[in-house]
Amino acid sequence: MTKDWRKIKGSNIDATAWDACVAQNNGALFTLSWYWQAVLPQWNGWVKGHYEGIVPDALVQKWGIINSNKSPLYVKYLECLGHNISTEEKQHIFQKITAKGLLKGIHVQPGIEVKGNIKWHRVQIAPYSGEEISRELRKNLQKAERENFKIDFDQTWDRFSKFMKRHHPYDWNQNQQNKLENLYREGHQRGMIKIAGLSCDGLMVAMQLYGVFNGTLYTIQNVSDKDYRELHVMSYLIHHLTEETHRTHGVQQIHFMGSSNKSVARFNKKFNATDLEYCFIAS
């Protein structure tokens, strides 16, 4: 079942062919080759034929001795994409990939279940709804629109980094900072990742690092000033960001990258998000 697949170092991947496979098969932003190179430079890829099928592989060596197989930060799950690849074939290739590694923490795309120590996680996706927004979101927006808000849809990394350090609710360690900055810079030069900032009377109150690919808006990382949360600043920012990217890039859905946290999941529901379960393979 997997004899037609071969493993290739990320640095030797034909990025054009890989990314074409992702685009042609409606894959996610976080499956693109440059995205993986930014968040896990040691990554490998499994390729079927001449890129008729692709799967990223997170197996790396830690401290030079221990095989670690963990989904990198800012990758929601691993996708197997390609032409005429059955669910059974996907299960076989994922079983092969996830079986390796002493330290495990692998997320596999929705619709695929493999053997192992499995837990179920959630991703949420919301359709672009235009004027048909939820009652709760409409109420939030009405409250927010009383304020003197202004949105910049292409803020700088330096502004975002300083805002994150000041307002993020938990420690934003150096490893996370470096990975996200690498990701931002790689994506920004390609026009796929930007940062939106919401200010009130000149003071920044909320920011969203986001990506756009194949008609989908990805909410990669956001943060807000807790003193302004009662004004529903994130609801306001994401709503207007969706409207803007629908206008400029034809966005038809929102992929909420943070959905496992219960309070975040409840927030996403106001955008009419639906739940999709995917399996997480632990050590």
Side-chain angles (χ1 to χ4, degrees):
M1 185 67 72
T2 59
K3 61 184 175 66
D4 297 329
W5 293 80
R6 67 191 190 281
K7 188 176 182 178
I8 306 175
K9 279 187 176 182
S11 57
N12 294 330
I13 290 285
D14 181 335
T16 301
W18 180 285
D19 294 345
C21 183
V22 177
Q24 292 163 10
N25 290 281
N26 200 30
L29 174 72
F30 49 78
T31 306
L32 292 168
S33 61
W34 61 263
Y35 195 109
W36 270 79
Q37 194 66 34
V39 297
L40 190 68
Q42 315 96 309
W43 76 292
N44 299 289
W46 287 84
V47 173
K48 182 178 183 180
H50 185 66
Y51 294 85
E52 285 86 18
I54 57 101
V55 191
D57 187 342
L59 184 68
V60 298
Q61 274 204 334
K62 294 194 76 170
W63 310 296
I65 53 172
I66 297 176
N67 284 334
S68 173
N69 199 353
K70 294 187 176 184
S71 296
L73 286 169
Y74 311 113
V75 170
K76 194 65 181 174
Y77 43 74
L78 274 60
E79 287 190 303
C80 178
L81 302 170
H83 306 295
N84 301 318
I85 300 177
S86 66
T87 299
E88 184 182 8
E89 186 173 359
K90 289 180 181 181
Q91 287 172 329
H92 273 84
I93 190 68
F94 275 126
Q95 196 68 60
K96 186 180 183 74
I97 291 171
T98 59
K100 298 180 180 179
L102 182 62
L103 303 175
K104 288 183 186 175
I106 291 289
H107 303 83
V108 173
Q109 71 186 79
I112 302 296
E113 184 174 352
V114 295
K115 297 174 183 177
N117 182 19
I118 289 179
K119 299 177 182 177
W120 290 96
H121 286 196
R122 164 179 53 207
V123 64
Q124 292 176 303
I125 296 175
Y128 172 73
S129 53
E131 295 299 316
E132 299 299 318
I133 60 176
S134 69
R135 180 188 230 171
E136 183 182 2
L137 179 57
R138 191 176 300 280
K139 188 176 178 181
N140 291 169
L141 294 176
Q142 287 171 346
K143 184 174 182 179
E145 283 163 358
R146 300 180 194 135
E147 306 301 319
N148 186 25
F149 285 150
K150 181 180 178 182
I151 301 177
D152 179 347
F153 293 105
D154 194 6
Q155 267 288 344
T156 66
W157 170 261
D158 287 345
R159 190 79 184 269
F160 178 77
S161 177
K162 289 174 184 175
F163 193 74
M164 278 283 287
K165 290 173 183 176
R166 185 177 305 152
H167 295 293
H168 204 253
Y170 56 83
D171 180 50
W172 192 39
N173 66 49
Q174 194 62 51
N175 180 48
Q176 292 172 323
Q177 292 177 46
N178 293 343
K179 284 187 186 295
L180 193 56
E181 182 176 3
N182 288 343
L183 181 57
Y184 166 77
R185 297 201 183 281
E186 287 295 325
H188 193 262
Q189 71 177 357
R190 292 170 170 81
M192 292 188 190
I193 293 181
K194 293 184 179 181
I195 298 167
L198 177 68
S199 58
C200 183
D201 296 320
L203 177 69
M204 191 65 67
V205 296
M207 302 191 85
Q208 174 71 65
L209 190 149
Y210 66 98
V212 177
F213 178 65
N214 261 7
T216 300
L217 169 65
Y218 293 84
T219 60
I220 299 170
Q221 178 71 64
N222 60 41
V223 62
S224 62
D225 185 333
K226 62 180 175 54
D227 294 336
Y228 285 82
R229 287 175 193 161
E230 289 187 2
L231 296 178
H232 305 291
V233 290
M234 282 312 307
S235 296
Y236 185 90
L237 179 55
I238 292 175
H239 171 74
H240 285 282
L241 177 58
T242 306
E243 292 296 320
E244 174 68 7
T245 52
H246 174 74
R247 183 183 67 80
T248 59
H249 293 82
V251 158
Q252 294 298 323
Q253 63 179 8
I254 312 170
H255 192 299
F256 289 102
M257 299 279 283
S259 304
S260 296
N261 181 283
K262 288 184 179 179
S263 62
V264 173
R266 282 195 298 271
F267 171 87
N268 297 342
K269 286 291 187 181
K270 70 178 69 175
F271 290 88
N272 298 318
T274 56
D275 296 348
L276 287 174
E277 284 193 325
Y278 61 95
C279 68
F280 171 73
I281 301 95
S283 298

